[in-house]
Amino acid sequence: MQRRAERAEDQRDQRAGRSSRLSRALVGAATVPVLLIAAGCSSDSDSGDDAKKASESAASTSASPSPTVQAAVYGTLPEPCRMLAKKTLEDLVPEGTKGKEGSSDDTSTRANCSWDSLDNNGVKGSQFRWLNVALLRFDSDVSRGAGDERAREYYAKQVEDARAADGARNTKAEPLGGTGDEATLVRYDLKKKEGAFKQQTVVARVENVVITLDYNGAGLAGDKTPDGDDLAKAATKAAKEAVAALKATLGDAGGTSASPSQSASKSASAAKKD
């Protein structure tokens, strides 16, 4: 009896052990899905962060400001043959006040007008005069810079070219006040087969436009050579008038462009003030 009781007790212990092991296995199996779910949530969270960072980076790039450059003041040019008053032309080129406009692919960017005068005194000789006004306007460009900066570089080059003119003698250069933002008068003598010429070149810059005024004179067929100082004064006066005519194209404070007749009137008035 005692042995049967012991065997029954052993069987109960074995069944209890198996039940305990089964419970631990079930608990372990239930833990695995929880870990997998947690890992899955973590992975989704990381992916969401990466996507957010990429979106923010793209937004930052698109929001970056585009390169800009200061707008040019002048968007067009006046008619070059109408920049100087009739009285001025009569003083500089008395026998040739009707100008000849040069050819240009775009007159709003590049323009010029020339006049020539020959006062023929027969055997006593002749007086020759030649006048030319050239304008070059520079637009602002992101890759090349602001219009006024580009004009400043061209202005400096024009002055140097005038000073280094082929065959020039007794070259002198001096700054001019009251003639645009900056201006230089270059003077020199030039010997040609026709006679001795006195050359005056005024280079002036107004914002993004450069004006180059050339004026020369000579006594031909034995006539006397004109006075260089007189020619320089005449060229300087004409350059100031040309600058005033350019400024007049901006019109009133509202930015309305002036008509050619208004430009001539305003330029003459401005030249007198200077």
Side-chain angles (χ1 to χ4, degrees):
M1 287 289 292
Q2 185 177 357
R3 284 197 296 272
R4 282 199 298 269
E6 290 176 354
R7 283 199 299 271
E9 187 176 352
D10 290 339
Q11 288 175 353
R12 282 197 301 269
D13 291 340
Q14 290 175 1
R15 283 196 299 270
R18 286 197 299 269
S19 176
S20 177
R21 286 194 297 272
L22 178 59
S23 298
R24 287 196 297 270
L26 289 174
V27 171
T31 305
V32 172
V34 174
L35 294 176
L36 291 177
I37 292 172
C41 292
S42 177
S43 177
D44 290 344
S45 176
D46 291 343
S47 298
D49 289 343
D50 291 342
K52 183 178 179 181
K53 290 178 181 179
S55 176
E56 291 175 350
S57 177
S60 176
T61 301
S62 62
S64 297
S66 300
T68 59
V69 64
Q70 182 178 348
V73 172
Y74 292 92
T76 187
L77 296 174
E79 295 181 46
C81 292
R82 304 182 66 179
M83 293 181 71
L84 302 180
K86 183 178 181 181
K87 179 62 170 64
T88 302
L89 293 173
E90 288 175 348
D91 291 342
L92 273 66
V93 283
E95 302 300 322
T97 57
K98 186 175 181 180
K100 180 181 179 181
E101 188 170 348
S103 60
S104 173
D105 294 335
D106 182 3
T107 55
S108 69
T109 300
R110 182 188 301 269
N112 80 284
C113 188
S114 61
W115 300 259
D116 59 78
S117 172
L118 181 63
D119 183 12
N120 193 338
N121 298 310
V123 295
K124 293 182 180 181
S126 304
Q127 283 293 317
F128 174 79
R129 300 289 186 274
W130 180 76
L131 171 67
N132 186 78
V133 177
L135 303 96
L136 188 60
R137 183 181 64 83
F138 293 86
D139 284 319
S140 293
D141 184 273
V142 173
S143 61
R144 291 181 288 181
D148 60 338
E149 290 295 333
R150 298 174 62 200
R152 184 177 288 110
E153 293 175 1
Y154 180 75
Y155 162 81
K157 183 178 183 302
Q158 283 291 89
V159 172
E160 287 305 311
D161 287 350
R163 297 180 65 176
D166 188 29
R169 295 183 301 173
N170 304 318
T171 302
K172 299 177 182 179
E174 58 186 88
L176 293 179
T179 312
D181 296 311
E182 52 187 336
T184 301
L185 167 65
V186 180
R187 307 170 54 183
Y188 56 83
D189 299 332
L190 193 61
K191 183 69 174 178
K192 295 184 179 181
K193 62 180 182 180
E194 297 89 351
F197 285 74
K198 294 287 186 177
Q199 173 70 35
Q200 323 294 318
T201 298
V202 178
V203 184
R205 182 184 67 83
V206 185
E207 299 291 351
N208 59 307
V209 177
V210 175
I211 300 174
T212 303
L213 185 144
D214 288 298
Y215 182 54
N216 64 44
L220 308 180
D223 204 351
K224 65 179 181 179
T225 301
D227 183 78
D229 290 338
D230 290 342
L231 295 184
K233 290 178 182 178
T236 299
K237 177 185 175 183
K240 290 179 181 292
E241 193 171 312
V243 166
L246 172 64
K247 290 183 176 180
T249 62
L250 291 180
D252 55 23
T256 304
S257 296
S259 66
S261 60
Q262 289 175 320
S263 297
S265 175
K266 289 181 180 180
S267 64
S269 176
K272 288 180 181 179
K273 291 180 181 179
D274 290 336

